[in-house]
Amino acid sequence: MTTHDFLQVGLYLVVLLLLVKPVGSYMALVFADTPNRVTRFGGGVERAIYRLCGIRADEAMGWKRYALAMLLFNVLGVLVVYLLQRVQPWLPLNPQHFAAVSPDSAMNTAISFASNTNWQGYAGESTMSYLTQMLGLAVQNFLSAATGIAVLVAVVRGFSRRSSLSIGNFWVDLTRSTLYVLLPLSLLMTLLLVSQGVVQNFKPYVDVPVVQTTSYTETVKDAAGNAVKDAAGHEVTRETPVTTQTLPMGPAASQIAIKMLGTNGGGFFNANSAHPYENPTPFSNFIEMLAILLIPGGLCYMFGMQVGDRRQGWAILATMLVIFIPLTIALVAAEQAGNPALHGLAVDQHASALQAGGNMEGKETRFGIAASGLFAAITTAASCGAVNAMHDSLTPLGGLVPMWLMQLGEVIFGGVGSGLYGMLAFAVVAVFIAGLMVGRTPEYLGKKIEAYEMKMASLAVLLPCALVVIGTAIAVMTPAGVAGVANPGAHGFSEILYAVSSASNNNGSAFGGLSANTPFWNVLLGICMFLARFPLTIAMLAMAGSLAAKRHVPESAGTLPTHTPLFITLLACVVVVVGALTFLPALALGPIAESLMSGH
Amino acid sequence: MTAQTQAASGFSRELVLTAMADSFRKLSPRLQFRNPVMFVVLVCSVLTTLLWMQALAGHGEAPTGFIFWVSLWLWFTLLFANFAEALAEGRGKAQANALRGSRKDVIAKKLASADRHAAITFTPSAELRTGHHVLVEAGEQVPGDGEVVVGAASVDESAITGESAPVIRESGGDRSAVTGGTRVLSDWLVVRITSNPGKSFLDRMIAMVEGSKRRKTPNEIALTILLAKFTLIFLLACATLLPYSIYSVQAAGIGHPITLTVLIALLVCLIPTTIGALLSAIGIAGMDRMIRANVIATSGRAVEAAGDVDVLLLDKTGTITLGNRQAVAFHPAPGIDEKIMAEAAQLASLADETPEGRSIVVLAKENFGLREQQLEAMHAQFVPFTAQTRMSGVDFGTRQIRKGALDAVEKHLESQGSHMPPLVKRMAEDIARRGATPLIVTEGSRALGVIELKDIVKGGIKERFAEMRKMGIKTIMITGDNPLTAAAIAAEAGVDDFLAEATPEAKLKLIRDIQAENRLVAMCGDGTNDAPALAQADVAVAMNTGTQAAKEAGNMVDLDSNPTKLIEVVEIGKQMLITRGALTTFSISNDIAKYFAIIPAAFATTYPALNTLNVMHLATPQSAILSAVIFNALIIIFLIPLALKGVKYRALGAGSLLRRNLLVYGLGGIVVPFLGIKIIDMLLVLCGLA
């Protein structure tokens, strides 16, 4: 890594950490049980919403009722987005006259956006009408993020409340997340993005003449769309000149703001944050990266405040950083070191005044190695999934990092809300092991961890792991699964593993290379996304319900402190060891094999 | 190996042999099913055996010898696990057999009423029911649990407690309980039977030591869930490896897919077999340690709760201080020679058979060489302690010597037309403030001085309390003394708090208050008036010498009737949890090395480049896999002594304890298998098995 790379990573972390406390304190006020200056400020709008929707804001929900409300609301969301895609040709704001989306793709996309995954099998600028983008996808961007935050707040109440049957009110938590957190931040973010040149309009696409005419080789197809073959069985091709270029337009900035802030990651355009209209400048890139980890980081601080011990929040954040920083450095270093296949050839891969050096394949020149590597680490650490470079083109070890960050269960920051409650599930497991080793029935934040909590935490940790390994197995055994693979050998395996890991951890980023908009992949990944999101959420709510009902155990010298470097190390070890032990065999057949072979 | 086991935890050859036989008996799938981890190993062992048979038939997926060795060591893994459990159970079983020996049916002398001279019917002990009265005479065995209603006798309780010195059992008071199976040595007792056949203390004790009623404790259940989770993860990771491998072979165009044998070997190595194999042994051994400490717990749950205790309630007398107060100094009144005062004090105490009285005589002898004098020779008349005078003493000739508490003596002096010198009174009050008890000695109407009687705090108890504090356990002393005295002793003994002038109600209230703060309370007691508090406490140790009511109310019985044992009970409880945690950590940490052994070997034909991961430089893919499997089995045997003895417990704060155990069992768990697998691999090469 160059000094310049270190400075970029360092600057990012400093700015992020400076923002953690203000954002966290603000959210603590938003979700406080007692009225305060924030909730009083928006109280009028809030009450109007409750009246309009017939919500009884003072209803205290048990975990089952909370989970049911959450589930019904999201299933409804899936249906709405599905229908919207299917009937878009007959609805307004469709200047490009896009046809109805196919049933499997529409189903996949609907689940994808409701589960905060935002895996995109489709290409936005050639599939979705402006109305679908705004009313379907952008709305789900808000609501899935708000659901994540709501569930987290409920889980935290499990720890902070004592002998309580209720973990809060889903509708209130949902409304407050959207109204006080996501909307204002999105507004600010949209303005910043527009200032950098991100498009925000309802214009039809614009055709412009290209500066330099180029041509490409096109496969000749017959009327049925099949490739025409010559006598020898080869596909017939022809050179096609390119004289004009279509520039996509649309209300992009507003959607990109929430795509980052809500760790959604579903791009307005197919190229996602690599597209110049989504992410035009290094500064827009910086604020997009910042937006991804802003809320997950702030939630850690809010968690500390709500359980009455800020150190607990810092400890969780520190655990995330302890894993995040080395992996980020590993990724950037691997990219900066360049392509191992080119070592020993007459290729200069060193950074100099004239070149970025390293492996620039699949990266945007306006971002370079560090900003691309950092973005890749951030987007997979958080379950965002937006990309500003092609992960398929990362070096084998560079590609291993984002893949593994997802496989760790999306708990290193993770999705808004979901990352932290996932991490709390790991903390429960860590506390259990640690508690045994100090000879006491384990306690976390004053709540005894017993068989029921272990069951739920284990389920939460197990589920994504199981989905990844089983989903990958199904894909590699099925001709339809293998059909989409672009590259042979270990890299092809990585493409499949990455796609399933991304869906099963609700990340949504694509390695690329895999043609996933087929009925097989749409259905497989759709199931993975749904199962990874909702059963896990319900398990965490069940744990919260059980914890909230428990009494608080006072601290003594025999209580294991959970804010010390020792506990941070232990928690990080548990996360890493579970991730390593589960995925090492699979990774060995993908990126590790590829890396070891490319060096020879 | 067996020799080592034996040396480490004192197992006889016979126990080991029985355990070996039991290891095979425990292979029954019905028993294995209770432990998800070992059940998976059983299924894997059967599968590899079938694969071996297939190989013998000439359709082997791998060399026959290789499958044979893998299969054999998988069976060993199971047997070793069974052996650990059988060994842990062995000692309890032996003790249960010994106890059964003492539960002979005897012919009891059943009385028509609670009167020694009532009509006697000879009834087999098995037909005695609650409420029957029996007569037990010298040389006879007590036919069942009961309470002495008439009489006093010395009883040999060695069958239950192992203590050969006989104890006194008498009607009334706190020493009225007798246990079936014990033997009356002298005199006679009329006993009211308090238990029906099959429900006696001896029956319960046999069930406990045998472990026949052993159920999984809450913590064990939670741990089993965690282990099942890990097993499931590894099951999925290994099972899906087959399709991955098939795909990779197709994609790479070379090599063979991973064989089932290797896949099964990998699975067994990865799932937490070490802790899975030793989990029940740890629990049984924990109970066994209790039994060896001569504490009978009514459930494993109670032992576990002991590890969680936050507050210890300890009776002052007998636990913190030696049973009785002792004279430590004579403080003469002004103008009185200390020797004269000591002599008077000695005379006043000669006939006083209480321990306090004896200690005054001893002190006088030690300090001034005053020999005991014969009261009869002096024609002295002993004045015993009465509730009215609250003094005792001796009259001979014209001399009237008395000793008593300050207020009693003050009254006595006033009745003699005298008064208490202010200086003596101040001395007495000073002594009281120090936590000691002043006794004023008078001769006639003159106060001679003050004897200082002191509670003697047991040696080493202060250090124990300091350890408790480090462990986060608060100690509270319970005493009937006044607050002043109590405070002084509490300070000397180093307890955190005290409850003075304690009544049974105050004790019960204290426990409830502590529990309301969600803390766990442990206490011990022996009297019937302790029973409500014992029933309320989370961990309640009843003294074996105590009443039947106390024994029923507690969840543990200390056969030695030593209240200090409570501290040991807490340590055993903690030790049991720590051992579980340490071995779980060790088990999971082991997997890292096993991956480095097996992954390169498993995919050697498809991706030879993966051999870079073979950091141990294991000889061949087969020896690598076999070494990992053998290590995985042998480590169980090596850890049996640790599981049975428990991890050495140190009284440290939670943080330091965790750091220590993580270093030893976490880091150790990572390093040890690298060495172990390498050594086994080298041995395999030597044996030509590589």
Side-chain angles (χ1 to χ4, degrees):
Chain A
M1 268 174 86
T2 62
T3 321
H4 189 243
D5 295 338
F6 274 114
L7 283 176
Q8 286 197 48
V9 175
L11 176 71
Y12 175 79
L13 288 172
V14 168
V15 175
L16 175 70
L17 288 175
L18 285 176
L19 287 172
V20 160
K21 191 174 164 180
V23 172
S25 321
Y26 172 73
M27 287 191 289
L29 287 176
V30 169
F31 296 105
D33 288 336
T34 47
N36 52 58
R37 59 181 193 275
V38 174
T39 48
R40 264 194 291 273
F41 179 75
V45 185
E46 204 186 324
R47 278 190 297 277
I49 293 171
Y50 297 151
R51 258 199 308 281
L52 198 68
C53 305
I55 293 167
R56 283 190 294 121
D58 54 351
E59 183 195 1
M61 292 183 175
W63 79 262
K64 284 182 185 150
R65 194 154 162 66
Y66 199 103
L68 188 70
M70 184 275 301
L71 195 61
L72 286 180
F73 179 73
N74 278 284
V75 168
L76 199 67
V78 170
L79 289 178
V80 168
V81 176
Y82 176 82
L83 285 175
L84 210 53
Q85 294 175 77
R86 300 285 294 141
V87 301
Q88 68 174 8
W90 301 283
L91 296 176
L93 281 178
N94 187 0
Q96 299 304 119
H97 307 291
F98 291 130
V101 182
S102 71
D104 57 289
S105 174
M107 184 276 295
N108 180 288
T109 304
I111 294 177
S112 174
F113 277 74
S115 62
N116 198 251
T117 312
N118 304 55
W119 168 268
Q120 293 170 295
Y122 64 92
E125 62 268 48
S126 56
T127 317
M128 300 293 175
S129 75
Y130 291 163
L131 188 79
T132 311
Q133 292 265 26
M134 286 162 63
L135 206 60
L137 307 186
V139 167
Q140 278 302 319
N141 276 352
F142 276 98
L143 296 181
S144 66
T147 300
I149 297 177
V151 171
L152 171 76
V153 171
V155 170
V156 174
R157 284 193 193 111
F159 287 104
S160 63
R161 289 196 175 171
R162 295 162 190 195
S163 314
S164 164
L165 289 176
S166 160
I167 52 171
N169 182 312
F170 175 70
W171 307 117
V172 171
D173 293 340
L174 188 77
T175 310
R176 288 194 173 173
S177 322
T178 314
L179 191 62
Y180 294 107
V181 182
L182 296 172
L183 273 174
L185 283 174
S186 296
L187 207 61
L188 180 70
M189 177 83 183
T190 307
L191 291 176
L192 284 173
L193 287 174
V194 169
S195 80
Q196 294 301 302
V198 178
V199 295
Q200 177 77 9
N201 58 42
F202 290 106
K203 287 181 196 162
Y205 296 174
V206 180
D207 285 330
V208 292
V210 293
V211 179
Q212 188 182 5
T213 311
T214 56
S215 65
Y216 66 97
T217 313
E218 188 188 25
T219 312
V220 181
K221 289 185 178 164
D222 60 18
N226 297 319
V228 175
K229 291 185 179 166
D230 63 14
H234 299 299
E235 291 179 353
V236 180
T237 58
R238 65 165 169 246
E239 285 294 298
T240 313
V242 177
T243 51
T244 60
Q245 180 184 6
T246 306
L247 297 180
M249 292 286 141
S254 57
Q255 193 167 328
I256 291 156
I258 184 64
K259 143 192 151 184
M260 295 302 175
L261 285 165
T263 62
N264 294 286
F268 193 85
F269 306 114
N270 192 32
N272 212 307
S273 284
H275 196 290
Y277 286 178
E278 280 206 19
N279 190 4
T281 65
F283 178 69
S284 72
N285 190 58
F286 188 82
I287 55 172
E288 285 188 11
M289 292 194 296
L290 206 55
I292 298 176
L293 294 190
L294 184 67
I295 296 178
L299 285 172
C300 292
Y301 188 81
M302 180 200 84
F303 161 71
M305 284 184 76
Q306 289 190 334
V307 299
D309 182 358
R310 274 157 230 238
R311 296 173 306 179
Q312 304 291 348
W314 286 119
I316 295 284
L317 187 62
T319 310
M320 293 174 172
L321 288 173
V322 160
I323 299 175
F324 175 74
I325 295 174
L327 284 178
T328 304
I329 291 175
L331 200 167
V332 177
E335 293 310 302
Q336 191 68 63
N339 190 339
L342 300 179
H343 288 319
L345 302 174
V347 178
D348 179 15
Q349 299 195 73
H350 291 99
S352 66
L354 294 174
Q355 62 171 24
N359 172 33
M360 275 301 287
E361 184 194 312
K363 294 182 182 64
E364 298 292 306
T365 46
R366 65 184 183 281
F367 303 139
I369 301 275
S372 302
L374 183 58
F375 197 109
I378 292 168
T379 196
T380 47
S383 79
C384 182
V387 290
N388 77 348
M390 291 304 112
H391 291 186
D392 196 21
S393 298
L394 296 171
T395 57
L397 286 183
L400 176 98
V401 172
M403 199 184 312
W404 198 49
L405 271 169
M406 294 189 296
Q407 290 167 342
L408 290 179
E410 285 301 358
V411 296
I412 311 306
F413 292 100
V416 286
S418 62
L420 184 50
Y421 64 67
M423 185 55 119
L424 291 178
F426 273 101
V428 164
V429 173
V431 155
F432 183 79
I433 295 174
L436 284 181
M437 277 199 286
V438 300
R440 261 175 91 91
T441 302
E443 293 152 22
Y444 186 48
L445 306 172
K447 294 297 177 92
K448 278 213 170 3
I449 304 301
E450 288 163 300
Y452 189 79
E453 289 77 34
M454 272 318 287
K455 216 180 279 177
M456 293 304 148
S458 293
L459 194 65
V461 171
L462 176 71
L463 195 67
C465 295
L467 288 173
V468 174
V469 293
I470 295 175
T472 308
I474 292 173
V476 297
M477 280 190 298
T478 326
V482 183
V485 175
N487 298 67
H491 195 76
F493 183 75
S494 296
E495 287 172 359
I496 294 178
L497 183 62
Y498 191 102
V500 183
S501 300
S502 175
S504 304
N505 288 288
N506 297 131
N507 178 280
S509 73
F511 205 43
L514 182 74
S515 311
N517 196 10
T518 64
F520 171 84
W521 280 104
N522 278 333
V523 171
L524 177 75
L525 298 182
I527 293 172
C528 285
M529 289 186 286
F530 188 86
L531 291 182
R533 176 74 168 188
F534 297 107
L536 193 150
T537 312
I538 294 169
M540 290 309 290
L541 286 172
M543 185 176 97
S546 159
L547 287 171
K550 290 185 183 200
R551 296 199 293 181
H552 185 262
V553 184
E555 218 173 289
S556 77
T559 312
L560 179 79
T562 50
H563 61 266
T564 57
L566 182 67
F567 184 75
I568 293 168
T569 314
L570 176 72
L571 180 54
C573 283
V574 170
V575 173
V576 167
V577 165
V578 169
L581 293 182
T582 314
F583 295 106
L584 202 65
L587 291 173
L589 293 174
I592 296 176
E594 195 189 346
S595 162
L596 291 174
M597 285 194 297
S598 60
H600 294 276
Chain B
M1 249 168 287
T2 30
Q4 191 193 7
T5 316
Q6 203 173 337
S9 39
F11 282 100
S12 70
R13 197 184 163 71
E14 200 181 334
L15 267 180
V16 172
L17 287 176
T18 321
M20 281 166 113
D22 278 345
S23 320
F24 287 91
R25 226 164 282 145
K26 282 173 182 281
L27 282 177
S28 142
R30 209 162 38 84
L31 289 178
Q32 295 292 331
F33 194 70
R34 287 172 45 190
N35 183 336
V37 182
M38 296 322 286
F39 184 71
V40 170
V41 181
L42 177 70
V43 172
C44 288
S45 308
V46 172
L47 274 177
T48 46
T49 310
L50 292 176
L51 286 171
W52 176 61
M53 288 175 182
Q54 188 194 32
L56 279 182
H59 309 286
E61 53 157 20
T64 317
F66 174 66
I67 304 180
F68 170 76
W69 286 112
V70 169
S71 175
L72 187 72
W73 280 97
L74 292 191
W75 283 110
F76 276 148
T77 311
L78 268 182
L79 288 174
F80 292 164
N82 291 345
F83 178 71
E85 195 184 76
L87 202 58
E89 285 170 350
R91 204 195 313 245
K93 280 206 175 120
Q95 197 172 350
N97 285 337
L99 286 171
R100 265 202 202 93
S102 57
R103 199 183 50 175
K104 288 190 297 260
D105 257 4
V106 290
I107 300 297
K109 296 173 181 164
K110 190 179 153 214
L111 295 167
S113 68
D115 179 3
R116 168 161 198 197
H117 304 290
I120 289 176
T121 19
F122 288 93
T123 315
S125 57
E127 287 172 20
L128 290 174
R129 293 288 181 275
T130 305
H132 287 173
H133 288 93
V134 291
L135 174 69
V136 195
E137 290 178 295
E140 290 173 0
Q141 186 176 315
V142 177
D145 294 358
E147 215 167 325
V148 179
V149 284
V150 186
S154 63
V155 179
D156 171 14
E157 294 193 336
S158 59
I160 306 281
T161 62
E163 171 63 56
S164 55
V167 291
I168 301 295
R169 294 286 175 225
E170 57 194 353
S171 61
D174 289 345
R175 295 176 170 269
S176 61
V178 285
T179 312
T182 57
R183 186 168 292 278
V184 172
L185 292 179
S186 67
D187 307 293
W188 53 268
L189 296 170
V190 175
V191 175
R192 185 167 52 81
I193 297 294
T194 52
S195 70
N196 288 327
K199 297 271 168 62
S200 72
F201 182 65
L202 200 58
D203 291 315
R204 275 191 292 154
M205 195 167 153
I206 290 169
M208 274 334 291
V209 296
E210 206 173 33
S212 58
K213 282 208 189 135
R214 212 182 95 78
R215 277 210 225 116
K216 277 188 182 160
T217 59
N219 182 272
E220 248 179 303
I221 292 170
L223 182 56
T224 309
I225 291 171
L226 182 71
L227 296 180
K229 180 201 94 173
F230 273 115
T231 308
L232 203 56
I233 286 186
F234 291 131
L235 190 63
L236 288 172
C238 290
T240 52
L241 210 47
L242 185 62
Y244 298 174
S245 168
I246 293 171
Y247 174 82
S248 296
V249 169
Q250 283 168 356
I254 48 162
H256 309 284
I258 188 169
T259 60
L260 281 179
T261 313
V262 172
L263 214 50
I264 290 173
L266 178 63
L267 174 63
V268 173
C269 286
L270 291 182
I271 59 175
T273 46
T274 315
I275 177 69
L278 297 173
L279 185 58
S280 64
I282 294 170
I284 298 168
M287 294 287 287
D288 189 51
R289 273 198 295 283
M290 284 283 194
I291 291 164
R292 263 183 290 160
N294 248 350
V295 176
I296 305 292
T298 52
S299 67
R301 198 182 278 252
V303 182
E304 215 168 69
D308 278 349
V309 159
D310 301 290
V311 180
L312 274 186
L313 298 190
L314 298 161
D315 273 330
K316 184 198 80 178
T317 310
T319 311
I320 296 171
T321 61
L322 293 172
N324 304 291
R325 277 175 275 224
Q326 290 183 359
V328 289
F330 297 117
H331 302 278
I336 308 277
D337 184 43
E338 193 181 342
K339 190 169 176 182
I340 291 173
M341 184 224 153
E343 190 189 16
Q346 191 194 38
L347 284 171
S349 310
L350 278 177
D352 183 356
E353 285 298 332
T354 62
E356 284 90 350
R358 304 300 312 158
S359 76
I360 294 171
V361 176
V362 169
L363 185 70
K365 192 157 77 179
E366 277 173 359
N367 287 10
F368 300 101
L370 293 172
R371 296 173 50 92
E372 286 185 38
Q373 304 172 36
Q374 290 303 313
L375 283 177
E376 289 79 12
M378 296 158 61
H379 304 288
Q381 197 186 350
F382 179 56
V383 180
F385 180 89
T386 66
Q388 281 77 40
T389 61
R390 288 165 52 230
M391 291 187 304
S392 64
V394 67
D395 290 348
F396 54 95
T398 53
R399 294 181 76 183
Q400 279 191 332
I401 304 175
R402 293 286 182 277
K403 68 175 201 294
L406 181 65
D407 54 338
V409 173
E410 248 180 333
K411 257 187 224 150
H412 168 71
L413 287 178
E414 275 162 25
S415 72
Q416 301 273 321
S418 173
H419 62 89
M420 177 72 72
L423 219 61
V424 174
K425 188 169 177 173
R426 180 130 40 93
M427 270 194 303
E429 281 167 354
D430 281 348
I431 290 169
R433 205 162 299 127
R434 287 204 295 271
T437 310
L439 276 186
I440 318 289
V441 184
T442 61
E443 182 166 357
S445 60
R446 199 164 53 128
L448 293 179
V450 191
I451 309 170
E452 182 174 353
L453 290 174
K454 211 176 149 193
D455 272 311
I456 305 298
V457 172
K458 282 187 176 174
I461 198 93
K462 192 166 184 171
E463 289 69 31
R464 295 301 285 275
F465 291 151
E467 283 179 9
M468 293 277 132
R469 200 165 303 119
K470 261 194 247 160
M471 287 153 61
I473 296 174
K474 190 175 163 189
T475 44
I476 300 181
M477 181 180 86
I478 309 282
T479 170
D481 293 342
N482 64 57
L484 214 60
T485 312
I489 298 170
E492 193 185 338
V495 292
D496 298 308
D497 205 349
F498 63 88
L499 177 70
E501 286 164 359
T503 57
E505 295 75 41
K507 239 191 224 184
L508 190 60
K509 184 175 176 302
L510 178 66
I511 294 175
R512 290 209 172 122
D513 288 348
I514 297 167
Q515 285 174 336
E517 291 167 29
N518 245 322
R519 297 176 191 270
L520 293 189
V521 184
M523 71 164 288
C524 55
D526 54 0
T528 302
N529 58 13
D530 284 331
L534 282 170
Q536 181 72 32
D538 301 284
V539 175
V541 183
M543 302 292 108
N544 190 46
T545 52
T547 59
Q548 203 64 38
K551 282 201 231 171
E552 294 281 337
N555 48 18
M556 292 182 199
V557 176
D558 179 17
L559 300 175
D560 295 341
S561 305
N562 170 11
T564 322
K565 199 76 77 61
L566 205 49
I567 297 170
E568 224 167 299
V569 167
V570 170
E571 287 183 354
I572 292 174
K574 282 198 181 286
Q575 200 185 21
M576 197 165 80
L577 291 184
I578 295 175
T579 310
R580 272 186 210 146
L583 290 182
T584 305
T585 312
F586 187 82
S587 200
I588 302 290
S589 310
N590 271 204
D591 285 357
I592 295 168
K594 291 170 188 166
Y595 264 135
F596 277 99
I598 296 184
I599 294 281
F603 303 119
T605 57
T606 315
Y607 294 123
L610 282 175
N611 201 39
T612 316
L613 297 181
N614 182 7
V615 288
M616 287 174 271
H617 298 291
L618 304 177
T620 64
Q622 290 189 0
S623 77
I625 290 162
L626 202 51
S627 306
V629 173
I630 294 176
F631 174 84
N632 194 50
L634 287 183
I635 197 73
I636 296 175
I637 284 287
F638 277 109
L639 290 175
I640 287 178
L642 183 73
L644 296 188
K645 274 202 310 182
V647 169
K648 190 163 163 35
Y649 179 72
R650 283 171 182 78
L652 293 172
S656 350
L657 204 56
L658 178 64
R659 183 172 303 117
R660 228 197 110 77
N661 287 332
L662 269 183
L663 272 180
V664 176
Y665 299 98
L667 207 57
I670 294 174
V671 176
V672 166
F674 276 104
L675 301 174
I677 291 174
K678 178 67 189 168
I679 292 170
I680 295 171
D681 182 71
M682 281 155 56
L683 289 175
L684 287 180
V685 172
L686 275 180
C687 302
L689 279 170

